[in-house]
Amino acid sequence: MKKIIALAACALLCAGTAFSQNYTHAVGVRAGGSNAAITYKQHLNRGNAFEVMAWFGFHESNSFSVAGLYEWTQPVINNDFNLYYGVGGHLGAAASEFAIGIDAIVGLEYKIPNAPIAFSLDYKPSVNFVNMNAYGLFDLALGIKFTF
């Protein structure tokens, strides 16, 4: 019985990955907490995407960072509502301090059917290897993207 359940779960995940995106490219904004980002997402193939974010700090006038994330997506409920999760890294600078670190992301995205708009809510923690006193463990944000 356990093997049947495991096999069924695997089949559902594989089927979900096969039909998980309904756009190829997306450009948008992501904002929350202490920063706002401009984002670009490209689905590489079914269920896999690469996302680049460039953000500017609200509280520090000389703050800028760029992150690249590899993401996996799968539908929840239907093909318009997707779970995505991934890992990546970032480079940045704030007030003469340089930072290099790793990032993770997990979120939910809703693509409006028959419209080129998607909304997302995600959590993206990050930890620096250079400039170790800086980290972003509480980065919860809302996003809106134009899809094409």
Side-chain angles (χ1 to χ4, degrees):
M1 183 65 170
K2 288 181 184 178
K3 289 182 182 180
I4 292 172
I5 293 171
L7 186 59
C10 182
L12 285 174
L13 284 175
C14 291
T17 300
F19 300 105
S20 64
Q21 90 260 0
N22 47 11
Y23 63 88
T24 304
H25 306 278
V27 176
V29 294
R30 178 186 181 274
S34 63
N35 64 56
I38 298 168
T39 69
Y40 170 75
K41 186 178 213 174
Q42 178 176 347
H43 284 276
L44 304 171
N45 56 38
R46 299 208 181 261
N48 299 289
F50 183 72
E51 187 165 9
V52 177
M53 298 179 184
W55 64 92
F56 310 88
F58 288 153
H59 302 295
E60 297 181 42
S61 61
N62 297 327
S63 172
F64 176 77
S65 294
V66 176
L69 297 157
Y70 186 86
E71 298 173 355
W72 295 271
T73 62
Q74 59 187 36
V76 283
I77 303 171
N78 62 33
N79 283 343
D80 298 321
F81 193 62
N82 290 296
L83 168 70
Y84 59 95
Y85 49 93
V87 295
H90 67 269
L91 298 170
S96 76
E97 297 264 347
F98 184 72
I100 299 173
I102 59 172
D103 298 72
I105 194 165
V106 62
L108 293 171
E109 179 179 75
Y110 176 69
K111 165 70 174 71
I112 298 174
N114 302 317
I117 303 292
F119 294 97
S120 63
L121 172 65
D122 62 47
Y123 172 63
K124 191 185 81 54
S126 63
V127 176
N128 290 339
F129 292 129
V130 174
N131 188 9
M132 294 298 283
N133 62 347
Y135 53 87
L137 297 179
F138 305 105
D139 187 2
L140 183 67
L142 294 171
I144 184 168
K145 295 180 183 95
F146 173 75
T147 63
F148 52 103

